[in-house]
């Protein structure tokens, strides 16, 4: 990640949140855009556990947090309308 090293110190507890996500089954994750949102990619059956682990890690850092579990927009890029 190019921006993560510069932005991570601006998100209290980020390293612990990222580690908690991975420990709970996430494939990876980072900071969304300019922040303050963070995200993790994980198998569908691990979504709730990963979300709970991330929220708990933020709370351990003294921050309130909420999580949204959402599927990816698969199959990704596709032609919607031909011009």
């Amino acid at each position: 990640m190019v921006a993560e090293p510069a932005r991570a110190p601006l998100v209290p507890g980020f390293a612990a949140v990222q580690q908690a996500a991975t420990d709970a089954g996430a494939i990876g994750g980072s900071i969304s855009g300019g922040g303050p949102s963070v995200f993790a990619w994980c198998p569908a059956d691990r979504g709730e556990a990963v979300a709970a682990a991330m929220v708990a890690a933020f709370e351990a850092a003294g921050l309130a947090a909420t999580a949204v579990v959402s599927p990816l927009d698969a199959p990704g890029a596709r032609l919607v309308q031909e011009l």
Side-chain angles (χ1 to χ4, degrees), residues 39-53:
F39 66 91
W41 290 294
C42 60
D45 66 336
R46 299 299 308 150
E48 293 297 333
V50 169

Side-chain angles (χ1 to χ4, degrees), residues 4-66:
E4 187 177 300
R7 293 185 182 147
L10 303 174
V11 180
F14 174 71
V17 171
Q18 194 175 43
Q19 186 63 53
T22 302
D23 291 348
I27 298 164
S30 191
I31 301 167
S32 180
S37 298
V38 299
F39 66 91
W41 290 294
C42 60
D45 66 336
R46 299 299 308 150
E48 293 297 333
V50 169
M54 293 173 75
V55 167
F58 270 126
E59 289 175 349
L63 297 174
T66 59

